[in-house]
Amino acid sequence: MAMSANFPPAAREPSPLEQALKQFFGYDSFRPGQRQIIEDALHNRDLLIVMPTGGGKSLCFQLPALLKPGLTVVVSPLIALMQDQVEALRNNGIGATFLNSTLSWQAELRAKEAILNGRVKLLYVAPERLLSEKFMPFLEQVESEIGINGFAIDEAHCVSEWGHDFRPEYRQLRQLRRRYPKVPLMALTATATARVRTDITQQLALRQPVTHVASFNRPNLYYEVRPKHRQSYSELLQIIRTAGGSGIVYCLSRKKVDELALRLQKSNISALPYHAGMNDEERSVNQTRFIRDDAQVMVATIAFGMGINKPDVRFVVHYDLPRNLESYYQESGRAGRDGEPAKCTLFFSYGDLKTIEYLIDQKPDPQEQRIARQQLRRMIDYAEGTDCRRTIQLSYFGEQFTGNCSNCDSCRYPKPMEDWTVEAQKFLSCVARSGERFGVTHIIDVLRGCKNQKIQQYEHHKLSTYGIGKNRSEDDWKTLARTLLHQGLLDETSDGYRVLKLNERSWEVMRKQRTVFVARPVTEIANRTERSLRSAEVEMLFDRLRELRKEIADEQSVPPYMVFQDSTLRLMAQQRPQTLEKFGQLNGVVNYKVTRYGERFVAEIQAYCQEIESAVPAENLPSDTQQLTLELHQQGLSPAEIAQKRQLSPSTIIEHLTQLIESKQPVDINQLLPFERQSEILQAIETVGADSLKPIFDYLGERYSYDEIKLVRAWLRSGNDILGF
Ligand code: ADP
Ligand code: ZN
């Protein structure tokens, strides 16, 4: 083996591009693709950039804009997005401005002046304005006096009728190429299909563009599907309460949005509704409150999300089934744009499926119906699938993914497979014996020996398969039927009635030439969140820094993420820089922000470090499992409920709680037993001593459980004062 292999690689000097990245944006390294794109842009190439949401597209034109002489003009369709980006740039100390209808004429004049003085590096405009007769002369003047170094066309799929958001005014952008033949064009989009890509290149007349298509994999997103049932609401509450940040909950209808938002508010969650039935003002108020972290949860129809730039969304829940996988990808993709871990949960029920099928049946055009049905089928494949969720999603975009992502429920908690060949044989022969003329429900009724009218009418109680499936529940049989359909071991007609038909493979199953495996649902999807696995200390400091950030953001009327992103706060909480110099070295911190905010954050960190030095020694910190019990306790769950939720024995939970109490964790004893009972146990302890439990138990005349005694004894040992003692 070569000697040199034993030496650690020498720390590399940052390249000039990396230095610029740090200087202007505070980041240490490029995201995948960014460096190459920026180099191409610096060589004045035309570019087509396809990157998923959160991939970091903006930086691809922002950094070149700063490095080239002259002005970059950014075309953006949405006023809110424009303002947002300009604010973020200014907040990093970069000269940027926008021109749109919201500006007064004085403000517009000032902006134009700043541009002509060369104080602006990035100008954001809407397409219709850019190409208006009034604006063209100004643009000419800029070109001759300052120079235009590039046009960046954001949301470029808007030029394509095949995209999901066609805007005719985008078609006019073609003129740019004619009027400014020397200025390079960069088109950016998050829409993945090849059709849209070709369209963009043609419509904008891009010149031999370098095309960058990034992977649509979003590794920081955790994907999971949960069955929707009566307890789903408590699961939702738990997702919200353990998320450590804001989130979106999507519902199918306006009515459901209103109901769920109200219900969450009653559970003490700051949730707001958003749907197309509300007026513009209500919607924009709610949106601002969500972006500024004044409300934690947005309950919304799919009307919410397009063009909303909130990078720190920590979870997206689909409380109802989305119509297709592409929408699901885009909607859930609004989580974690900042690259930090985020969770995407889909609650799936067959009831929802029925609703969507009903809606599809209402469509007048049979062709449209067919497409919608196909898309729905892919959606169900995703929801029911046992493969890696990423593999299923990415294959939808034509991307190969090897699976084993370890960041989806299928990979983390593979479902146990059971051999149900015998059941499958029963089911299929029942289909055969009843003449392949019936649907799933009827077949199950026959198997389970029901006595309904339809069975009488067809004399199906006389079939040899009648009642041979009583040992399984209706749900089990439904699961089996779906599995058979999925695995292609059975067919179903789709024209009007859904009749089951046998195929070649069905017969192979019946002839014992094939085995059938069914995935069983995992009852305890580990609800543990990333959060509970992280150390409590980092978490506590993170929460304090979040509060400080919110305070500063409110003072300046900006959304909190503009002050610092979650990832930067997390680094602060982990590395705890206690000097301004160390603070400035954190990834995501530019000099400008050190000057503006450094002192307050460093002071908070110093205060925290002093507090923990004088506090509990580390070995007294709760273990992960105790921490989880503590969190549930703090959410108001009783020990029995915690035990049930965690599938642990009640005595284990009591054990956790006593240890938590003894290590001075914030357990509320009054929540566990009423004051009168506490005081009677205390009296007993004072009389017979606390060394062993039995004497206390006996003294109390067996009216108190050992658990109660343990809790109170722990309380006493921890040196806590119980009221009056
Ligand atoms: P997109 O427009 O592709 O959805 P953005 O340009 O809004 O994505 O970037 C998403 C997030 O990633 C932003 O919060 C941005 O500040 C951050 N980001 C971009 N590039 C980097 C980088 N090199 N390092 C760290 N964060 C980055
Ligand atoms: Zn996976």
Side-chain angles (χ1 to χ4, degrees):
M1 201 190 290
M3 280 294 290
S4 62
N6 293 329
F7 291 106
R12 200 170 46 87
E13 267 296 297
S15 70
L17 268 190
E18 276 163 333
Q19 282 171 17
L21 180 69
K22 177 72 191 164
Q23 182 196 339
F24 292 114
F25 296 94
Y27 300 131
D28 290 341
S29 56
F30 287 104
R31 292 259 181 88
Q34 285 178 333
R35 174 201 297 277
Q36 188 58 51
I37 293 168
I38 289 165
E39 282 172 3
D40 290 335
L42 291 174
H43 286 113
N44 293 323
R45 293 289 306 261
D46 275 5
L47 281 153
L48 170 60
I49 295 158
V50 186
M51 254 190 206
T53 306
K57 284 186 284 298
S58 328
L59 200 92
C60 298
F61 56 81
Q62 288 171 346
L63 191 57
L66 299 170
L67 298 176
K68 292 201 242 180
L71 177 80
T72 292
V73 178
V74 186
V75 179
S76 174
L78 295 161
I79 289 181
L81 273 190
M82 261 185 224
Q83 292 176 340
D84 215 78
Q85 289 212 0
V86 167
E87 215 166 327
L89 286 165
R90 287 184 180 163
N91 206 33
N92 272 346
I94 294 168
T97 194
F98 57 81
L99 288 172
N100 65 31
S101 50
T102 65
L103 291 184
S104 66
W105 66 267
Q106 293 99 325
E108 178 165 341
L109 208 65
R110 273 199 304 277
K112 285 181 169 169
E113 226 172 68
I115 295 168
L116 291 171
N117 287 335
R119 291 203 306 272
V120 173
K121 294 302 296 176
L122 287 129
L123 165 67
Y124 286 73
V125 264
E128 58 275 16
R129 169 173 294 246
L130 181 66
L131 299 158
S132 69
E133 289 304 317
K134 259 171 69 191
F135 197 70
M136 275 295 171
F138 173 69
L139 209 58
E140 297 295 336
Q141 193 186 353
V142 175
E143 164 69 337
S144 64
E145 291 178 20
I146 305 289
I148 296 175
N149 62 30
F151 289 105
I153 321 287
D154 209 0
E155 315 287 345
H157 56 271
C158 293
V159 296
S160 170
E161 277 165 325
W162 293 87
H164 47 79
D165 193 22
F166 174 54
R167 287 167 191 256
E169 64 273 18
Y170 257 67
R171 284 276 162 94
Q172 311 295 320
L173 289 170
R174 206 186 169 85
Q175 297 175 31
L176 288 177
R177 177 52 4 115
R178 217 180 49 241
R179 294 194 199 208
Y180 301 97
K182 293 211 183 79
V183 180
L185 280 175
M186 181 189 293
L188 306 104
T189 180
T191 306
T193 64
R195 179 82 214 209
V196 175
R197 262 181 248 162
T198 337
D199 238 18
I200 293 174
T201 306
Q202 282 167 3
Q203 295 293 338
L204 294 176
L206 297 184
R207 216 168 23 204
Q208 294 163 356
V210 189
T211 306
H212 288 270
V213 182
S215 165
F216 273 63
N217 183 19
R218 305 271 312 274
N220 60 317
L221 301 187
Y222 176 75
Y223 292 103
E224 64 173 8
V225 179
R226 301 184 184 206
K228 186 154 133 188
H229 45 54
R230 247 172 265 114
Q231 293 91 51
S232 296
Y233 181 73
S234 350
E235 289 182 26
L236 175 66
L237 277 183
Q238 209 211 348
I239 292 172
I240 296 173
R241 287 182 173 143
T242 51
S246 34
I248 307 172
V249 181
Y250 281 111
C251 302
L252 254 179
S253 67
R254 297 171 188 184
K255 184 159 159 276
K256 280 190 148 178
V257 165
D258 287 332
E259 284 168 3
L260 187 61
L262 199 67
R263 191 163 175 203
L264 287 170
Q265 286 162 4
K266 288 197 179 134
S267 308
N268 268 329
I269 302 284
S270 58
L272 295 172
Y274 189 106
H275 55 68
M278 296 160 51
N279 66 37
D280 285 355
E281 194 189 329
E282 286 168 333
R283 272 188 296 174
S284 105
V285 166
N286 285 2
Q287 178 175 323
T288 308
R289 289 184 60 197
F290 177 66
I291 290 177
R292 301 240 161 129
D293 288 353
D294 290 325
Q296 189 196 0
V297 180
M298 191 65 113
V299 186
T301 59
I302 51 172
F304 179 73
M306 258 291 281
I308 282 151
N309 179 20
K310 183 168 171 54
D312 52 0
V313 172
R314 295 273 70 89
F315 63 94
V316 172
V317 171
H318 280 74
Y319 209 53
D320 294 320
L321 188 68
R323 279 157 219 250
N324 61 58
L325 206 48
E326 161 116 53
S327 333
Y328 182 64
Y329 176 86
Q330 300 291 355
E331 286 149 25
S332 60
R334 291 177 186 135
R337 291 179 59 165
D338 53 9
E340 286 285 285
K343 189 172 191 167
C344 307
T345 307
L346 167 66
F347 283 97
F348 176 62
S349 80
Y350 291 96
D352 287 354
L353 191 59
K354 290 263 150 52
T355 314
I356 297 182
E357 275 170 348
Y358 172 80
L359 294 173
I360 293 176
D361 288 341
Q362 307 306 305
K363 286 183 194 272
D365 179 1
Q367 164 77 354
E368 236 180 274
Q369 281 192 4
R370 225 189 41 240
I371 294 174
R373 274 210 195 88
Q374 269 174 17
Q375 288 183 331
L376 184 59
R377 188 112 290 276
R378 301 286 302 252
M379 192 63 234
I380 301 164
D381 283 346
Y382 174 80
E384 287 190 324
T386 48
D387 288 343
C388 170
R389 307 272 178 213
R390 285 194 154 65
T391 308
I392 308 177
Q393 285 189 15
L394 293 172
S395 81
Y396 191 76
F397 298 116
E399 201 177 318
Q400 295 265 330
F401 185 77
T402 51
N404 289 326
C405 75
S406 71
N407 202 20
C408 77
D409 54 351
S410 301
C411 291
R412 273 207 213 156
Y413 315 105
K415 295 196 185 72
M417 301 295 277
E418 278 175 18
D419 185 338
W420 278 29
T421 312
V422 175
E423 280 79 1
Q425 287 164 347
K426 289 182 183 174
F427 191 95
L428 295 171
S429 50
C430 193
V431 174
R433 281 172 210 272
S434 52
E436 301 181 50
R437 286 160 50 213
F438 299 90
V440 175
T441 320
H442 184 71
I443 299 295
I444 295 177
D445 286 348
V446 176
L447 285 167
R448 302 197 64 234
C450 294
K451 296 192 176 67
N452 61 34
Q453 205 211 330
K454 195 166 173 188
I455 289 184
Q456 300 292 330
Q457 182 189 340
Y458 290 99
E459 302 203 323
H460 281 168
H461 54 287
K462 295 184 180 159
L463 291 178
S464 60
T465 48
Y466 182 73
I468 61 169
K470 283 184 181 156
N471 59 326
R472 293 265 176 208
S473 71
E474 193 180 332
D475 279 347
D476 279 351
W477 285 113
K478 280 189 186 158
T479 306
L480 173 68
R482 281 190 302 269
T483 307
L484 291 171
L485 287 166
H486 257 157
Q487 299 182 355
L489 305 176
L490 177 67
D491 292 336
E492 188 177 44
T493 55
S494 58
D495 44 351
Y497 297 102
R498 296 146 137 289
V499 173
L500 297 176
K501 298 277 180 197
L502 302 173
N503 61 27
E504 198 43 48
R505 278 173 292 190
S506 318
W507 289 103
E508 289 172 15
V509 173
M510 286 189 275
R511 281 188 239 117
K512 299 193 184 136
Q513 292 161 344
R514 256 178 199 278
T515 41
V516 178
F517 281 93
V518 173
R520 303 299 291 152
V522 189
T523 36
E524 191 209 18
I525 294 218
N527 270 327
R528 283 190 134 187
T529 56
E530 314 312 312
R531 192 174 161 78
S532 57
L533 294 171
R534 288 191 211 118
S535 113
E537 273 187 18
V538 172
E539 222 45 58
M540 269 171 348
L541 179 53
F542 181 74
D543 285 344
R544 279 171 64 160
L545 296 173
R546 275 191 96 198
E547 272 168 40
L548 175 62
R549 174 178 71 172
K550 173 70 178 141
E551 198 178 294
I552 295 175
D554 285 348
E555 285 164 16
Q556 305 183 353
S557 281
V558 296
Y561 66 82
M562 292 261 187
V563 178
F564 284 116
Q565 298 194 359
D566 282 4
S567 53
T568 317
L569 285 198
R570 185 155 301 287
L571 283 177
M572 286 181 208
Q574 285 160 348
Q575 303 182 3
R576 300 185 198 155
Q578 298 196 46
T579 62
L580 282 180
E581 195 201 339
K582 289 233 169 72
F583 189 81
Q585 287 162 2
L586 290 177
N587 191 10
V589 179
V590 291
N591 263 333
Y592 187 72
K593 286 196 179 173
V594 179
T595 331
R596 277 184 99 175
Y597 312 121
E599 263 172 40
R600 287 172 78 176
F601 279 91
V602 168
E604 187 72 30
I605 295 169
Q606 283 170 344
Y608 179 80
C609 290
Q610 275 165 14
E611 278 170 38
I612 53 168
E613 259 166 43
S614 52
V616 218
E619 61 267 27
N620 271 354
L621 283 174
S623 64
D624 287 343
T625 177
Q626 291 173 355
Q627 179 69 27
L628 202 55
T629 296
L630 178 61
E631 279 173 22
L632 294 170
H633 166 76
Q634 288 176 322
Q635 290 168 19
L637 271 65
S638 70
E641 286 166 336
I642 301 176
Q644 197 197 5
K645 175 144 248 158
R646 301 199 52 198
Q647 307 227 318
L648 293 171
S649 75
S651 61
T652 307
I653 302 301
I654 296 293
E655 185 70 15
H656 288 168
L657 288 167
T658 52
Q659 282 165 4
L660 286 163
I661 293 173
E662 286 184 14
S663 55
K664 290 186 194 278
Q665 295 299 313
V667 172
D668 181 5
I669 184 94
N670 296 316
Q671 192 183 312
L672 297 168
L673 66 169
F675 176 66
E676 304 77 57
R677 291 182 84 79
Q678 296 170 29
S679 59
E680 222 183 313
I681 297 172
L682 273 171
Q683 275 173 359
I685 293 177
E686 284 187 342
T687 317
V688 300
D691 293 340
S692 60
L693 295 166
K694 182 84 168 60
I696 308 173
F697 183 75
D698 291 343
Y699 180 90
L700 289 165
E702 304 183 1
R703 281 172 300 115
Y704 288 81
S705 69
Y706 276 105
D707 286 347
E708 288 174 302
I709 298 171
K710 279 189 205 159
L711 289 168
V712 174
R713 185 174 67 168
W715 191 258
L716 196 67
R717 283 185 174 158
S718 70
N720 279 304
D721 270 337
I722 296 193
L723 294 166
F725 284 88

